[in-house]
Amino acid sequence: DPKADFQFAPVVGEKFWTVKLQAVKMFYGEAIEEAESIIECPDHCTAVLDTGTYLIYGPPEPIDNGFSTLYNGDCQKLDELPNLLFQIQGVHHSDESFDLIDLVLTPEDYVLDFESKSSTAECVIGVSEDRTSVTEWTLGQTFLKAFYLTFDREHNSVGFTSARSSKE
């Protein structure tokens, strides 16, 4: 079954490929269980999966609190940055519980490396604030490139699996 490795999340709304976002967290190394929340939103946050957007956009408060002092632009210090954990509400069950899909971005995923006019590498975090919303995130190519996705309109769901090989 080609969909066996995918974890599926129901789409909310009919206009965009939008899923419910449970939380965004940071953690260092492999310590996912020690992740610190940037934002918790059990009932009201959404994330639009937008292939036409390049960056990750989020509400101003969590972006300012979580990312403002995070990075100084040094491309050689990626190993000092945290991993980002996006927790998406997955399949819902009859008892009103749901699966939680943990989607992890490493600094290599969310830090963008550019060559400046002086031919030196410049790095920036591919996360920015969206001042038009307090609950909606837009997950653009910076996020999407770390995963294989399947968009299933028949079942009104999106499937996620890591684009990394299991050897990484």
Side-chain angles (χ1 to χ4, degrees):
D1 181 10
K3 292 184 179 180
D5 293 335
F6 283 86
Q7 293 179 283
F8 285 86
V11 170
V12 294
E14 296 179 12
K15 210 172 190 182
F16 301 104
W17 293 98
T18 304
V19 294
K20 284 191 176 183
L21 182 65
Q22 188 73 12
V24 180
K25 302 178 178 185
M26 291 183 184
F27 67 96
Y28 291 87
E30 301 296 318
I32 194 168
E33 65 282 348
E34 297 174 16
E36 296 180 24
S37 290
I38 296 171
I39 186 172
E40 294 274 346
C41 39
D43 296 320
H44 61 281
C45 289
T46 57
V48 176
L49 306 169
D50 189 355
T51 60
T53 298
Y54 192 67
L55 300 178
I56 297 167
Y57 290 96
E61 185 176 335
I63 296 298
D64 289 345
N65 293 342
F67 296 94
S68 63
T69 61
L70 192 62
Y71 196 55
N72 66 6
D74 187 344
C75 297
Q76 303 304 312
K77 295 187 178 183
L78 294 184
D79 59 340
E80 296 176 11
L81 294 174
N83 295 313
L84 302 180
L85 171 62
F86 289 80
Q87 293 184 312
I88 306 291
Q89 286 187 16
V91 174
H92 288 79
H93 304 286
S94 59
D95 64 358
E96 298 191 24
S97 67
F98 53 85
D99 295 337
L100 201 56
I101 302 172
D102 288 343
L103 302 172
V104 176
L105 293 182
T106 65
E108 290 79 10
D109 296 323
Y110 69 84
V111 174
L112 308 174
D113 186 351
F114 296 97
E115 189 173 308
S116 70
K117 292 179 182 176
S118 63
S119 298
T120 59
E122 291 184 15
C123 290
V124 296
I125 291 182
V127 180
S128 188
E129 61 184 43
D130 176 359
R131 295 199 173 275
T132 65
S133 176
V134 294
T135 61
E136 185 172 273
W137 290 67
T138 302
L139 305 179
Q141 294 173 26
T142 299
F143 175 88
L144 298 173
K145 69 183 179 183
F147 306 97
Y148 293 119
L149 283 84
T150 181
F151 296 93
D152 185 344
R153 188 51 81 189
E154 182 179 342
H155 296 102
N156 213 25
S157 64
V158 178
F160 299 87
T161 193
S162 177
R164 292 178 200 85
S165 72
S166 59
K167 295 176 185 172
E168 289 184 49

